[in-house]
Amino acid sequence: MKLKLAVLPGDGIGPEIMEQGLAVAKTVCEKYGHELSYEYGICGADAIDKVGDPFPEETFKLCMESDAVLFASVGDPKFDNNPNAKVRPEQGLLAMRKKLGLFANVRPVTTFDCLIHKSPLKDEIVRGADFICIRELTGGMYFGEKYQDDDKAYDTNYYTRPEVERILKVGFEYAMKRNKHLTVVDKANVLASSRLWRKVAQEMAPQYPEVTTDYMFVDNAAMRMILDPKFFDVMVTENTFGDILTDEGSCITGSMGLLPSASTGEHTPVFEPIHGSWPQAKGLNIANPLAQILSVAMLFEYFDLKEEGAVIREAVNASLDQNVRTPEIQVEGGEKYGTKEVGAWIVDYIKKA
Ligand code: IPM
Ligand code: MN
C-alpha cells in the first residue's frame, strides 16, 4: 500500500528514538513492497523556539494530509520549572489530540518473559500480565474549563454523554476481540462525571452480553494493578485516570521505554510511546527506542498489515532475548548497546527475517 507519514520527533530524546522508529518503518515497507513517503513536522518546545507555537498550523495540515502520524515526545524542563510560562510544549500534544479528534488512546500493558526481573513486583504477580488500557484522550480535566489566579485555581472534569458513549464503545469492542472482560474504572462514589460514566456503561453493557463488565473505583484499580495485574483484560477510563494508571502499568513491564500507544478517533491516527521526552538523556544515545519501534508495529497493525507488525514484534523480542538492550534494562556485565545500536540491530534482523 501507499503510506504517507507525518513524522513529529519533538523534544528531548524524541529525535533519537524517532530515527530508529523511522528506520524500522522504512525497512518494513521495503521488505513488504509498500510505498512509504514521509515529511517532518515541528512540535513541542522545538516549535515554540522556532515559531512560538507548540503545534503550528503547518504541522496540523501535514497531519491532516497524512495517513498516520508517528510522534515521539515533547517537553522541556525550562517550561516545567516556570509556572508563569504562557505557552508550554505539552499544549502542542494536547492541541494535536484535540484537533485530530483522537479520543481513544490504546495503551497495551504486557510483559516480556526475559524482563520479568526488571519489574519491582514479584515474578508470580507479573508473569503473564497482559491487558489494554483504553484512555479517553480529548475530554475531562485536560480540556475542561480552567482558572488560575494567585489564590485559587480549578480544572473541570467535564464529560458529555456522546463523549462517554464513544469511548465505552471502543472498550466493549476491544473486550469482544480479547478475553471479553471489561473493567470500567471510575470514582463514582465521589465524582459526578464518574457517575455519568457508570450510568452510560450500565446502559450499554446489555448490548454486549458476552462481555463480563465490572466497575472499579480508580483507587482500588491502582492497587489491583499491583496486587493482581492478571485480573485485567481491557480497562477503560477517563483521561486523567488513564494517564496515571498507564505510568503505573509501565512498572509491570519493567521500563517506561517499552510501552507504545495508538491514538485514534476522527482524523489521522497517532502512534507514540507513552513516555515523555527524558531531557536529561538527550543526545546521550541511552534512550530505549523500543516503545517508539513498537508504536510503529501498532501503526502497521492499525492498517491491518499483520505480518508487518508481527515481524517488528519478533525482532524486538529477539533483541531482548539476545541482550541487545539499552542501559536501563541491560544485563549486568553484558555488552553495551545504545539507542542507535539497538535500532540498527532490529533493522538488520527484519531485513534477514
Ligand atoms: C502522556 C503524557 C502527556 C499526558 C503529557 C506529556 C501532556 O504524560 O501521553 O501520558 O499527560 O497525556
Ligand atoms: Mn502520561
Side-chain angles (χ1 to χ4, degrees):
M1 70 178 274
K2 268 193 178 170
L3 193 60
K4 182 176 177 204
L5 298 186
V7 177
L8 275 47
D11 307 321
I13 57 169
E16 293 163 63
I17 56 172
M18 181 60 86
E19 201 183 315
Q20 305 314 318
L22 193 56
V24 167
K26 283 185 200 166
T27 309
V28 169
C29 284
E30 271 164 34
K31 189 178 173 84
Y32 292 88
H34 302 301
E35 200 180 308
L36 176 71
S37 62
Y38 60 92
E39 212 175 297
Y40 286 96
I42 55 170
C43 65
D46 176 41
I48 297 177
D49 290 344
K50 286 177 178 147
V51 300
D53 179 348
F55 189 59
E57 195 54 32
E58 285 243 323
T59 303
F60 174 52
K61 257 189 77 191
L62 169 67
C63 293
M64 288 298 282
E65 288 162 0
S66 304
D67 300 311
V69 178
L70 195 56
F71 183 95
S73 54
V74 292
D76 189 295
K78 73 181 176 207
F79 296 94
D80 297 342
N81 302 328
N82 175 9
N84 296 318
K86 288 275 174 290
V87 281
R88 301 178 169 279
E90 290 78 6
Q91 287 165 349
L93 177 57
L94 301 188
M96 176 179 77
R97 291 171 178 171
K98 193 72 175 176
K99 289 175 113 175
L100 296 176
L102 304 171
F103 61 85
N105 182 220
V106 176
R107 297 187 162 185
V109 177
T110 46
T111 55
F112 297 90
D113 280 350
C114 65
L115 290 181
I116 296 280
H117 65 289
K118 284 288 170 190
S119 170
L121 302 176
K122 290 198 186 90
D123 185 317
E124 67 266 26
I125 290 178
V126 289
R127 192 177 291 274
D130 175 3
F131 66 92
I132 286 190
C133 178
I134 302 191
R135 169 186 177 196
E136 200 289 330
L137 204 58
T138 52
M141 275 196 282
Y142 276 62
F143 295 95
E145 191 190 315
K146 292 176 187 297
Y147 178 80
Q148 183 183 357
D149 65 28
D150 279 344
D151 302 309
K152 58 185 176 305
Y154 62 76
D155 303 277
T156 318
N157 205 20
Y158 182 82
Y159 271 108
T160 63
R161 175 179 278 269
E163 285 177 306
V164 176
E165 271 170 4
R166 66 183 180 180
I167 190 71
L168 288 173
K169 185 163 181 268
V170 176
F172 280 113
E173 282 169 0
Y174 263 91
M176 284 299 288
K177 282 189 279 181
R178 290 177 49 104
N179 297 325
K180 301 190 168 56
H181 177 198
L182 181 68
T183 305
V184 180
V185 174
D186 64 26
K187 186 73 185 171
N189 51 347
V190 177
L191 302 177
S193 51
S194 282
R195 285 193 286 273
L196 176 68
W197 273 69
R198 196 172 277 215
K199 185 172 157 53
V200 175
Q202 283 168 348
E203 284 170 19
M204 289 172 76
Q207 294 167 39
Y208 303 89
E210 286 168 62
V211 176
T212 305
T213 306
D214 46 35
Y215 302 87
M216 202 181 276
F217 297 140
V218 62
D219 45 355
N220 188 19
M223 186 173 69
R224 195 79 189 248
M225 270 174 63
I226 295 300
L227 291 178
D228 182 19
K230 280 176 273 197
F231 170 82
F232 297 102
D233 175 28
V234 179
M235 138 190 323
V236 61
T237 191
E238 60 106 313
N239 203 344
T240 308
F241 296 163
D243 177 47
I244 298 167
L245 291 178
T246 50
D247 265 37
E248 188 186 343
S250 73
C251 299
I252 295 170
T253 309
S255 164
M256 278 286 272
L258 294 167
L259 269 66
S261 83
S263 304
T264 63
E266 291 160 21
H267 303 292
T268 320
V270 173
F271 301 86
E272 55 165 317
I274 79 153
H275 62 68
S277 62
W278 197 16
Q280 302 77 4
K282 180 180 174 172
L284 299 181
N285 194 38
I286 57 171
N288 194 335
L290 294 187
Q292 187 78 59
I293 291 172
L294 289 167
S295 299
V296 175
M298 289 187 87
L299 187 155
F300 285 113
E301 286 156 0
Y302 173 85
F303 292 104
D304 217 27
L305 300 172
K306 297 200 178 73
E307 262 183 70
E308 288 80 341
V311 77
I312 297 175
R313 292 182 189 280
E314 186 192 316
V316 164
N317 287 333
S319 74
L320 291 170
D321 283 341
Q322 297 183 37
N323 293 328
V324 178
R325 306 179 186 179
T326 42
E328 93 286 6
I329 50 171
Q330 200 143 37
V331 177
E332 234 169 278
E335 204 180 322
K336 297 215 176 334
Y337 290 92
T339 315
K340 285 196 176 99
E341 290 75 27
V342 171
W345 193 95
I346 288 174
V347 163
D348 197 49
Y349 183 100
I350 293 172
K351 281 185 182 156
K352 291 183 191 147

